[in-house]
Amino acid sequence: MTVEKTSVLVLDCAEPVELAEFYAGFLGAETRIGSDPDFVEIVGNDGVRLAIRRDHGYAPPSWPRPEDSQQAHLRILVAREDIDEAEREAISLGARPVDTGDGNNGPRDVRTYADPAGHSFTLAVHPLPRG
């Protein structure tokens, strides 16, 4: 018999409530604070599940990190016709672009940002064209 499991990606930061509000606002989800105020969950429709944990010694990651292998990042999928609007939403909530692409000419299928705590995430067209 297999035990039922679920998973949640946990991001560390200095201020979990503020970062949780960023992701909840961007993903159209809600925040849930349980008995531990240093751990906040973000839960939404379509299986969105993320958690934010306070790290009292938190230092923001840098992107890209040529001296290290790539760290984990969120990949947020959107329809091609919605990517520009999703980008405006992310930036209005506090995201910072970190990769503007090659010359920023024409449509880009993947765009990289840092959230307010410095974690990288991407907006990506879904489904990606077959190539």
Side-chain angles (χ1 to χ4, degrees), residues 47-115:
V48 170
R49 190 171 183 97
L50 183 65
I52 312 294
R53 184 188 72 88
R54 183 182 315 274
D55 177 349
H56 294 282
Y58 177 75
S62 62
W63 187 94
R65 297 182 73 179
E67 69 280 1
D68 294 327
S69 62
Q70 173 139 358
Q71 296 181 341
H73 71 275
L74 295 174
R75 186 173 184 102
I76 300 169
L77 306 175
V78 298
R80 179 173 303 285
E81 63 272 13
D82 295 333
I83 195 163
D84 291 334
E85 180 61 26
E87 179 175 61
R88 287 188 288 275
E89 288 176 7
I91 291 169
S92 74
L93 290 166
R96 177 180 48 84
V98 294
D99 181 11
T100 58
D102 297 325
N104 207 11
N105 300 354
R108 293 175 291 132
D109 290 340
V110 178
R111 303 174 188 185
T112 305
Y113 308 86
D115 68 23

Side-chain angles (χ1 to χ4, degrees), residues 11-27 29-33 37-42 50-56 58 90 92-95 114-119 121:
L11 299 175
D12 292 342
C13 71
E15 299 296 334
V17 172
E18 288 82 357
L19 188 59
E21 288 172 355
F22 166 81
Y23 280 108
F26 187 57
L27 297 172
E30 67 178 58
T31 60
R32 295 182 184 165
I33 302 173
D38 289 341
F39 190 86
V40 181
E41 287 189 285
I42 296 107
L50 183 65
I52 312 294
R53 184 188 72 88
R54 183 182 315 274
D55 177 349
H56 294 282
Y58 177 75
S92 74
L93 290 166
D115 68 23
H119 305 100
F121 70 94

Side-chain angles (χ1 to χ4, degrees), residues 6-9 27 29 42-50:
T6 189
S7 63
V8 60
L9 176 65
L27 297 172
I42 296 107
V43 180
N45 298 327
D46 297 326
V48 170
R49 190 171 183 97
L50 183 65

